[in-house]
Amino acid sequence: MTDIKLSGRRHDLDALRVLCFGTLIIYHTSLAYGTRTWLLNASDGSRLIDLIAAGSHPWRMSLLFFISGLVTQSLLRNRSISEVRTARTRQLLLPFVLGVLLIVPPQFYLSQHNPFPDLSYWEFWKAYIVSGLRFEHLWFLAYLWIYMFLWSLLWPCVQRFLPNLPAAFANLLRGRKLLLIPIIFLSVLRVWLYPIFGETLVLNTDFYAHIVYFSMFLAGSLLMNEPSFWREVDRQRWVSGGLAILSFLIIATVVIAVPQDCRPDSLVIPMRIVRSIFQWCAILALLGFAARIANRSNPVITFLNRSMMTYYVVHQTIIIVVAYYIAKLGMLNISSFIPVMLITAIGCGVIGEAQKLAMRYLPVVISKLVALVRVPTKLSPPGAALD
C-alpha cells in the first residue's frame, strides 16, 4: 500500500482536477455530435458519441465536488474560516459573475435556440439580461460557493459538538461498506428523487442535484484528514475499478443497442442503479489509482492547474463559436468532432496565457498611466499676472 500524504499539497488531487476539467471539453463537444438536443447539433448525431457523456458525466461532477470538499477542508487547517470564505468567494464568484454576464450570452446568441434571432448582438445582450440570466456550464461555481459557505457555518458546530464525526464516518466506510453504503444512497436518490425533480441546473429548483453534490462535498470535507479512509480506498482500488468498468459496459450496451425513447419501463430502474454503481466505483477507482500514480509534482499538471479556472469559464463558448461557423460552412458533422475539440483546447490555452500576461503586466501599465496623468500643480506666486 502507498502512503497517502494528508498534509501539504496533494498532487493526486491536482491531477484529478485536470482530468475532470479536461474531460469537460470532450464532454461538451460531444453534446453537439450526440443524439441529445443541445445549443447546436450536428446533422448526423451518433449514439456512439453519446458514450462520451455516458462514460464521463455520472462521476465527473460528483468527483469535482468531492475534491472541492477535500480542498476546502485542507485550507481550514492553516487558515481561519473567514479567510477561507473570503478567498473562495474571490476565486469563485468573480469568474462566475463575469462569465454569466460576458461569456455565456454568446452561446445563446449563436445557438439554435436563440429567442431573439433578429436582434444585433448588443440588443440581444440587453434583452438577455432583462429576460433572465442563464448559468449554463457555470452553475458549478455558484453551487460550489453555496456549499462552501454552508460548510463554513457548519464546521465550527461539528468541531464543538461532534468532534468525532469525521473519524466515525471513516470507520463506517470500511470493507464492503465503502462500496455498499454510497451506492445504496445514490441509488435511492436516483430511483425516487430524480424522477420527481430531475437535474435542472437551476439554482432554486435543482433539489436532486443539490442533495447529491452537497453530499459529495460534505463527504470530501469530512474524510480529508482520515487516513483509514484513504487506506481503504487504496486497498479496494482494483475492485472498484473492475466494478466501474463492468457497470460502464452495461450502460454502453444499452446506449448503443436501445435508443432512449425506445427503452422499456422495466429497464429504467435497473439502469439507474447501474449508473449509481458506475458513479461511485469510478470515483473510488480514480482516487485510489491517482494516489498511486500521480503522487508527485508534474510540470504539465502544474502548468495546466494555473489556468484551469480560465479554461473552464471559456471552453463552452469557444465550442459554440467554432461549431457555429463550421455549421455555416455546412461541415458540422461527425468528421468535425475532433477538429472542434482541438481548436477549443488550443483556444483555451491561448486565452489562459493571455490572461496570465494581463494579470502580470496590466497593473504595471495602469500605474504608469496614472503617473503620466498626475501633473504636479505649481502655486502661482502672490500678485502674479494672469496670461
Side-chain angles (χ1 to χ4, degrees):
M1 191 205 80
T2 186
D3 292 328
I4 306 294
K5 183 178 69 171
L6 299 183
S7 60
R9 190 160 192 94
R10 289 280 300 270
H11 300 296
D12 56 327
L13 300 184
D14 289 339
L16 288 174
R17 189 186 298 109
V18 169
L19 172 67
C20 289
F21 283 122
T23 56
L24 270 178
I25 294 177
I26 303 173
Y27 166 71
H28 281 133
T29 305
S30 77
L31 294 182
Y33 295 89
T35 59
R36 295 169 53 188
T37 300
W38 197 49
L39 296 167
L40 287 174
N41 285 102
S43 57
D44 54 349
S46 169
R47 292 208 298 275
L48 283 174
I49 296 295
D50 288 339
L51 291 179
I52 295 174
S56 64
H57 187 64
W59 56 264
R60 184 187 56 255
M61 300 312 299
S62 296
L63 179 56
L64 273 175
F65 280 109
F66 187 87
I67 292 172
S68 298
L70 297 173
V71 171
T72 300
Q73 197 62 24
S74 69
L75 292 173
L76 287 171
R77 279 202 298 245
N78 303 315
R79 304 185 193 180
S80 68
I81 289 176
S82 62
E83 288 174 335
V84 171
R85 193 183 296 150
T86 300
R88 297 296 274 172
T89 296
R90 185 173 61 252
Q91 293 166 356
L92 297 173
L93 284 193
L94 181 59
F96 169 73
V97 172
L98 291 176
V100 167
L101 292 176
L102 301 176
I103 306 299
V104 170
Q107 299 178 25
F108 288 96
Y109 183 71
L110 299 177
S111 82
Q112 58 193 356
H113 309 296
N114 182 351
F116 313 108
D118 299 324
L119 299 181
S120 67
Y121 182 74
W122 173 239
E123 294 297 326
F124 165 85
W125 186 84
K126 290 189 291 185
Y128 166 83
I129 296 297
V130 171
S131 63
L133 299 175
R134 293 282 298 273
F135 292 177
E136 271 308 293
H137 64 295
L138 300 181
W139 64 269
F140 170 73
L141 300 180
Y143 286 28
L144 180 54
W145 182 84
I146 292 171
Y147 301 162
M148 178 279 303
F149 192 88
L150 290 174
W151 181 242
S152 72
L153 300 177
L154 289 172
W155 178 236
C157 300
V158 172
Q159 287 180 301
R160 182 176 180 182
F161 300 109
L162 298 167
N164 296 322
L165 179 60
F169 187 37
N171 287 332
L172 180 66
L173 300 176
R174 289 200 172 195
R176 295 179 181 177
K177 290 184 288 186
L178 176 66
L179 296 169
L180 289 177
I181 291 177
I183 288 173
I184 291 172
F185 173 74
L186 293 170
S187 297
V188 167
L189 294 180
R190 192 78 187 171
V191 170
W192 277 283
L193 282 188
Y194 182 78
I196 299 172
F197 300 109
E199 194 168 354
T200 67
L201 303 184
V202 177
L203 186 64
N204 61 338
T205 62
D206 210 5
F207 301 110
Y208 165 78
H210 283 313
I211 294 173
V212 172
Y213 294 141
F214 190 42
S215 298
M216 289 292 175
F217 182 90
L218 290 177
S221 300
L222 290 172
L223 296 169
M224 173 65 192
N225 301 314
E226 297 303 318
S228 63
F229 169 75
W230 295 104
R231 286 194 294 267
E232 198 67 23
V233 169
D234 179 76
R235 190 176 70 84
Q236 300 202 43
R237 68 190 187 282
W238 287 106
V239 174
S240 56
L243 287 172
I245 293 172
L246 179 61
S247 53
F248 173 68
L249 289 176
I250 295 172
I251 293 171
T253 300
V254 172
V255 168
I256 294 299
V258 187
Q260 189 165 1
D261 53 358
C262 298
R263 291 172 195 169
D265 292 340
S266 59
L267 198 58
V268 172
I269 290 179
M271 284 301 296
R272 287 176 178 163
I273 295 173
V274 171
R275 187 186 189 279
S276 299
I277 295 171
F278 175 54
Q279 179 180 4
W280 181 244
C281 289
I283 289 171
L284 286 183
L286 288 167
L287 289 170
F289 284 104
R292 289 264 179 170
I293 298 168
N295 54 14
R296 53 178 56 92
S297 179
N298 181 291
V300 176
I301 298 297
T302 301
F303 174 81
L304 292 174
N305 254 315
R306 288 175 184 153
S307 297
M308 197 53 61
M309 181 63 74
T310 303
Y311 302 158
Y312 168 69
V313 170
V314 303
H315 80 278
Q316 184 164 306
T317 299
I318 298 175
I319 291 171
I320 296 299
V321 171
V322 174
Y324 173 81
Y325 284 104
I326 288 180
K328 287 185 74 84
L329 296 173
M331 298 170 59
L332 191 62
N333 51 50
I334 195 66
S335 63
S336 62
F337 171 67
I338 292 178
V340 169
M341 188 171 59
L342 292 177
I343 293 170
T344 301
I346 293 169
C348 288
V350 170
I351 293 173
E353 292 308 298
Q355 188 255 351
K356 288 179 187 175
L357 290 173
M359 294 296 290
R360 181 181 304 172
Y361 294 111
L362 192 59
V364 177
V365 173
I366 292 174
S367 64
K368 289 185 176 181
L369 290 175
V370 170
L372 286 174
V373 299
R374 283 181 180 172
V375 179
T377 304
K378 295 183 179 180
L379 294 176
S380 298
L386 296 176
D387 294 333

